[in-house]
Amino acid sequence: MNYETLNLTLDMGLKSSSEMSVKSVSFGDGYKQLYSFGINNKSLNWSGTKTGDYLTIIKPIEDFLENTKGVTPFFWVDPKGQKKLYTCNQWSTNQNKGNLWQIAITLEQFISV
């Protein structure tokens, strides 16, 4: 499948979060066993903002995200230079001053078989 690429450099201060897929089984006397679940059990998510002119910076990002409908994965290169597939099903846009707007997005790593 051919995936589109979101060409976006987020503002400084973005955050990454990793999540490991872990399952647990509890036994008697307080014993618990943890185990890794799945082949790709680590997901990496990024959240951040982009500030700029609404028509030239923010609107193209909104249009791109709306076209994916929150389910179609796309490539994005993170600040560490890693190109991975992501989805985005939620974002918010705020007007800062005049025509200066800011979009806040969370990119969730997409892992598929």
Side-chain angles (χ1 to χ4, degrees):
M1 180 172 204
N2 292 330
Y3 296 107
E4 291 189 57
T5 299
L6 175 60
N7 295 309
L8 172 63
T9 302
L10 294 170
D11 296 337
M12 294 296 295
L14 69 157
K15 296 177 184 177
S16 68
S17 62
S18 298
E19 182 177 353
M20 305 299 281
S21 181
V22 176
K23 299 290 183 182
S24 67
V25 177
S26 297
F27 300 98
D29 296 331
Y31 291 101
K32 182 191 284 189
Q33 180 179 2
L34 301 174
Y35 60 96
S36 174
F37 184 73
I39 297 171
N40 296 312
N41 73 319
K42 178 184 176 187
S43 65
L44 178 64
N45 301 327
W46 290 90
S47 60
T49 60
K50 182 67 176 177
T51 306
D53 175 75
Y54 181 75
L55 290 177
T56 60
I57 304 293
I58 306 302
K59 180 131 176 52
I61 298 168
E62 287 179 325
D63 291 344
F64 181 93
L65 297 175
E66 286 176 11
N67 286 336
T68 69
K69 301 189 184 321
V71 296
T72 304
F74 52 86
F75 283 112
W76 180 67
V77 179
D78 68 32
K80 298 176 182 177
Q82 297 177 332
K83 183 178 183 180
K84 296 182 179 178
L85 285 172
Y86 291 90
T87 59
C88 179
N89 62 10
Q90 183 176 354
W91 61 91
S92 62
T93 307
N94 300 314
Q95 183 180 22
N96 287 345
K97 182 178 181 183
N99 201 32
L100 187 64
W101 290 72
Q102 184 177 63
I103 187 169
I105 64 173
T106 299
L107 302 173
E108 298 178 9
Q109 186 179 1
F110 178 79
I111 299 173
S112 179
V113 289

